[in-house]
Amino acid sequence: VASVTITDVAKAAGVSMKTVSRVLNAEPHVSDELRERVLAAAKELRYRPKVSARSLAGARSYVVAFLLTSEYLQQAAVPYILQAQLGALAACRTAGYHLLIETLDLSGDLEQEIEALSGALAVDGLILLPPLCDNRPVLDQLDRAEIGYVRIAPATDAQRSAYVEADDREAAAEMTRHLLGLGHRRIGFITGPDGHSASVRRLEGFRAAMAEAGAQVDESLIRPGRFTFDSGYEAAGELLSAAEPPTAVFASNDLMAFGTMARAQELGHRIPDTLSVAGFDDTPTASMVWPGLTTMRQPIAQMTGIATELIIARAAKAGADDSRRAPLTCELVVRGSTAPPGRQ
Amino acid sequence: VASVTITDVAKAAGVSMKTVSRVLNAEPHVSDELRERVLAAAKELRYRPKVSARSLAGARSYVVAFLLTSEYLQQAAVPYILQAQLGALAACRTAGYHLLIETLDLSGDLEQEIEALSGALAVDGLILLPPLCDNRPVLDQLDRAEIGYVRIAPATDAQRSAYVEADDREAAAEMTRHLLGLGHRRIGFITGPDGHSASVRRLEGFRAAMAEAGAQVDESLIRPGRFTFDSGYEAAGELLSAAEPPTAVFASNDLMAFGTMARAQELGHRIPDTLSVAGFDDTPTASMVWPGLTTMRQPIAQMTGIATELIIARAAKAGADDSRRAPLTCELVVRGSTAPPGRQ
DNA sequence: TTGAAAGCGCTAACAG
DNA sequence: CTGTTAGCGCTTTCAA
């Protein structure tokens, strides 16, 4: 049961320990012949480099971490987290990395919290989801502690760090065109919280598509939300009790769309006959409500996968490319919650 | 920025390195005076023991892992995973442990997969959720590789390992009593897959409560499901098209309940007026559908928390107590999907 | 292009 | 009760 070590491999291949190390880390200056001999021996012996030894001796830790806060934790509602993890996990696997989940207590001493992070299990990089990725104090402490991170869909300080984002503006425009295409003209819109990531861009996309189609935007049909079920429920109540209510509501995330559906049905609406509802995210729940929610699928897993690759690349060589990438594309998923208006 | 090591602390406290180590690991044979001096020095210096060094030198790794398979991954639908993680995470935090997410490719070479697990980042223990916790070949390999694990709600081989479970039988009985109390007598039941964890016990609980109330169980109203949305949808279709359909359907998990609600509404039912629907799990989605789903809340986070503590305790001392615990209690959550029958 | 030696920070035996 | 001495398995100097 004794585990095989790098010296075992070295002995089997008839080379020095260091050469094995070089091969395994894809360092240059190794002859092809030795490289192959080492690789063969490693495979034969089923050698697995031990992460703890590597990270103790070297600068890398072979670990990427997801940073969560009690904010996410309490409302297990934040539904995309699991998908985000899966994307990162896949990228870790192919690179021989491991995925850690860490929590940050925002109510505690931030400096100490983050010191704990870096001290205990050194991590090659963190993945920060919204809204944590826009939390200045956290970013500041992270910078100070020299812990690298990649942000997912940050709302602010784009130049501050590497990040990955989706094209929220275009996606929202596409959804709006879908509704317009069905014949809707009075379309309600529920926004996200002010400072939040994609919130602003989704509203922009909505406005742009409306303008493009020559459709009037009634400002009273634009309601503030907070990306929560409850805020969608409330906003929908206001929209539907207006003198001239909309025939469709575009909630800028799924949670608010579910709230909208609930409130609308409570008020006697039949979706989509008397009201169309659209969301944004394509959370797992979207296909479990009735009728199914028409929504934009965000490539969350893809985003975190890319983020993970960035972290790993940066750990591998100092001068890694943090080249900004083009925003990823979302996909329209049409389900039963949208239809032409006025099928009373 | 140089990190503080155990020798720094030892120097500051005027003791040997080993004494510091003893204090930190809560080993016996240290005088109170020295203990306090060490603790003070450690705090002062903000000392954080380095996980990689500890696991390299010692037998423990200070890491607990969640084992997932592509099965869970593809259907991000499995909704309780995040909650399960959170429970484990909390327990890790308080013990200075870290939570890792690992994947297992069941379609690959199992032996090699598991060897990779144990080889690379040694783990103090795994947490296995259903249905993975009932996968014999996996358990066999794990045993062979001497990787410890705690199972959550295993269906089989109870004596095989430590496990944590909920009282599914009693919980299902409680839900059934809730429906009976509302006045339902013709109650449809949708089961889980045959070999699956709690599936059998939930059906038992249902039968027991019915019998207790002197209510007849119509066997044609008991339909097989697979714990998926689709299987609930199908089963509901059959139940509702029966000559004498039920006035309430108890789906033995939430996913199937959502499928039931969807099918029922599609067929023109108004829930709960013409049909009551009950689920089991209290997934986040349960409060986002309309009407809200009446369901049993499983203490998932608590279960994984206990599992984590078991793993940590076992790692700490060889002769840890694997004492079987009493099953945890579920909680009835009444929402809008259940009501007295026949409110046509 | 290769190898030898020296630790990384900690725990595990042993002695005192 | 306390301290000393070796390593854990790897990467990193530095030499050859």
Side-chain angles (χ1 to χ4, degrees):
Chain A
V1 188
S3 64
V4 351
T5 76
I6 197 172
T7 29
D8 296 332
V9 178
K11 220 167 288 175
V15 298
S16 81
M17 202 171 118
K18 177 61 209 176
T19 300
V20 178
S21 173
R22 282 207 184 87
V23 172
L24 263 45
N25 292 302
E27 286 173 28
H29 309 306
V30 182
S31 70
D32 287 352
E33 196 219 322
L34 284 195
R35 181 180 307 280
E36 277 183 34
R37 237 161 63 201
V38 169
L39 254 23
K43 191 168 193 179
E44 169 66 25
L45 296 175
R46 295 190 168 183
Y47 169 66
R48 314 269 175 203
K50 208 152 197 169
V51 170
S52 52
R54 302 231 277 190
S55 58
L56 181 56
R60 306 170 63 179
S61 71
Y62 298 87
V63 169
V64 170
F66 245 89
L67 195 53
L68 300 181
T69 64
S70 44
E71 225 177 327
Y72 299 103
L73 308 188
Q74 276 154 23
Q75 49 181 81
V78 180
Y80 53 80
I81 291 188
L82 194 56
Q83 294 186 53
Q85 287 181 10
L86 302 184
L89 204 46
C92 282
R93 268 244 125 171
T94 63
Y97 263 63
H98 298 270
L99 184 66
L100 209 65
I101 313 288
E102 289 287 352
T103 53
L104 193 65
D105 181 4
L106 288 179
S107 65
D109 177 351
L110 206 56
E111 191 181 345
Q112 228 176 308
E113 288 270 328
I114 288 184
E115 224 169 49
L117 259 186
S118 67
L121 213 170
V123 157
D124 281 352
L126 295 178
I127 295 178
L128 302 184
L129 301 175
L132 192 57
C133 63
D134 294 310
N135 186 318
R136 280 256 175 71
V138 169
L139 299 184
D140 289 343
Q141 286 298 335
L142 250 23
D143 287 342
R144 195 161 314 161
E146 297 187 331
I147 304 177
Y149 53 88
V150 174
R151 296 183 293 159
I152 306 295
T156 53
D157 292 331
Q159 74 300 339
R160 176 159 193 166
S161 78
Y163 65 88
V164 184
E165 65 179 358
D167 193 345
D168 290 280
R169 190 179 192 282
E170 171 52 25
E174 189 178 344
M175 178 59 83
T176 307
R177 286 193 291 267
H178 164 70
L179 295 172
L180 288 165
L182 290 171
H184 294 278
R185 283 302 174 272
R186 285 191 67 74
I187 304 178
F189 188 93
I190 307 179
T191 74
D194 279 346
H196 201 303
S197 307
S199 186
V200 178
R201 289 194 299 260
R202 289 179 193 172
L203 180 54
E204 278 175 14
F206 170 70
R207 286 188 190 281
M210 289 292 275
E212 195 178 82
Q216 187 76 26
V217 172
D218 182 339
E219 294 298 327
S220 72
L221 295 187
I222 297 185
R223 292 284 169 172
R226 298 180 306 277
F227 277 171
T228 62
F229 179 91
D230 289 343
S231 68
Y233 181 92
E234 279 170 35
E238 294 167 9
L239 284 171
L240 297 176
S241 63
E244 217 181 328
T247 61
V249 173
F250 180 7
S252 59
N253 84 344
D254 278 6
L255 253 45
M256 297 195 299
F258 301 138
T260 299
M261 289 177 72
R263 186 72 181 118
Q265 299 192 72
E266 215 173 82
L267 293 173
H269 277 278
R270 276 166 296 117
I271 298 171
D273 296 346
T274 64
L275 182 76
S276 285
V277 177
F280 200 115
D281 279 344
D282 195 28
T283 56
T285 302
S287 55
M288 295 195 279
V289 294
W290 194 86
L293 180 66
T294 294
T295 185
M296 295 300 305
R297 178 175 299 159
Q298 283 217 72
I300 302 260
Q302 199 187 341
M303 289 163 78
T304 53
I306 291 175
T308 304
E309 286 164 3
L310 279 175
I311 290 173
I312 294 175
R314 192 193 290 165
K317 46 196 163 97
D321 73 308
D322 264 19
S323 57
R324 294 300 179 294
R325 293 159 179 274
L328 302 177
T329 305
C330 300
E331 178 193 352
L332 175 64
V333 180
V334 177
R335 296 200 180 90
S337 69
T338 51
R343 295 199 311 187
Q344 299 283 353
Chain B
V1 189
S3 65
V4 351
T5 74
I6 198 171
T7 29
D8 297 332
V9 177
K11 222 168 287 175
V15 298
S16 79
M17 199 172 118
K18 179 60 211 176
T19 301
V20 178
S21 173
R22 282 209 184 85
V23 172
L24 265 44
N25 293 302
E27 287 173 27
H29 310 305
V30 182
S31 71
D32 288 351
E33 196 218 323
L34 284 195
R35 180 179 306 279
E36 278 183 33
R37 237 160 64 200
V38 169
L39 254 21
K43 190 168 194 179
E44 170 66 24
L45 295 175
R46 294 189 168 185
Y47 169 67
R48 312 271 175 202
K50 208 152 198 169
V51 171
S52 52
R54 302 231 275 191
S55 58
L56 182 56
R60 306 168 63 178
S61 71
Y62 299 87
V63 169
V64 170
F66 244 89
L67 195 53
L68 300 181
T69 65
S70 44
E71 225 178 326
Y72 299 104
L73 308 188
Q74 277 155 21
Q75 50 180 81
V78 179
Y80 53 81
I81 291 188
L82 193 55
Q83 294 186 53
Q85 288 181 9
L86 301 184
L89 204 44
C92 282
R93 266 247 125 172
T94 63
Y97 263 63
H98 298 271
L99 184 67
L100 207 66
I101 314 288
E102 290 287 352
T103 53
L104 193 66
D105 181 4
L106 288 180
S107 65
D109 177 351
L110 205 57
E111 190 180 346
Q112 229 175 307
E113 288 269 327
I114 287 183
E115 224 169 49
L117 259 186
S118 67
L121 215 169
V123 156
D124 280 353
L126 295 177
I127 296 179
L128 303 183
L129 301 174
L132 193 57
C133 63
D134 294 311
N135 186 318
R136 280 258 175 70
V138 170
L139 300 184
D140 289 343
Q141 286 299 333
L142 251 23
D143 287 342
R144 194 161 314 161
E146 296 187 335
I147 303 177
Y149 52 86
V150 174
R151 295 183 295 160
I152 306 294
T156 51
D157 291 331
Q159 75 301 339
R160 177 159 192 166
S161 79
Y163 64 88
V164 184
E165 64 179 357
D167 193 344
D168 290 280
R169 190 178 192 282
E170 171 52 26
E174 188 177 344
M175 177 60 84
T176 307
R177 286 193 292 265
H178 164 70
L179 294 172
L180 289 166
L182 289 171
H184 294 278
R185 285 299 174 274
R186 284 192 67 74
I187 303 178
F189 188 94
I190 307 179
T191 74
D194 279 346
H196 201 303
S197 307
S199 186
V200 178
R201 290 193 299 259
R202 290 180 193 171
L203 180 55
E204 278 175 14
F206 170 71
R207 287 188 189 280
M210 290 291 275
E212 196 179 82
Q216 188 74 25
V217 173
D218 181 341
E219 293 299 327
S220 72
L221 295 186
I222 297 185
R223 292 282 169 175
R226 297 179 309 277
F227 278 172
T228 62
F229 180 92
D230 290 342
S231 68
Y233 181 93
E234 279 169 36
E238 294 166 10
L239 284 171
L240 297 176
S241 63
E244 215 182 330
T247 61
V249 173
F250 180 6
S252 59
N253 83 345
D254 278 7
L255 254 45
M256 297 194 301
F258 301 138
T260 300
M261 288 177 73
R263 187 70 181 120
Q265 299 191 70
E266 216 172 81
L267 293 174
H269 276 279
R270 278 167 294 119
I271 299 171
D273 297 346
T274 64
L275 182 75
S276 285
V277 177
F280 201 114
D281 279 345
D282 195 30
T283 57
T285 301
S287 55
M288 296 195 280
V289 295
W290 192 87
L293 179 66
T294 294
T295 184
M296 294 302 304
R297 177 174 300 158
Q298 282 216 72
I300 302 261
Q302 198 187 342
M303 288 162 78
T304 53
I306 292 174
T308 305
E309 287 165 2
L310 280 175
I311 290 173
I312 294 176
R314 192 193 291 165
K317 43 194 165 97
D321 72 308
D322 263 19
S323 56
R324 295 299 179 294
R325 292 158 180 275
L328 302 177
T329 306
C330 301
E331 178 192 353
L332 175 64
V333 180
V334 178
R335 297 202 180 89
S337 68
T338 50
R343 294 198 314 187
Q344 301 282 354

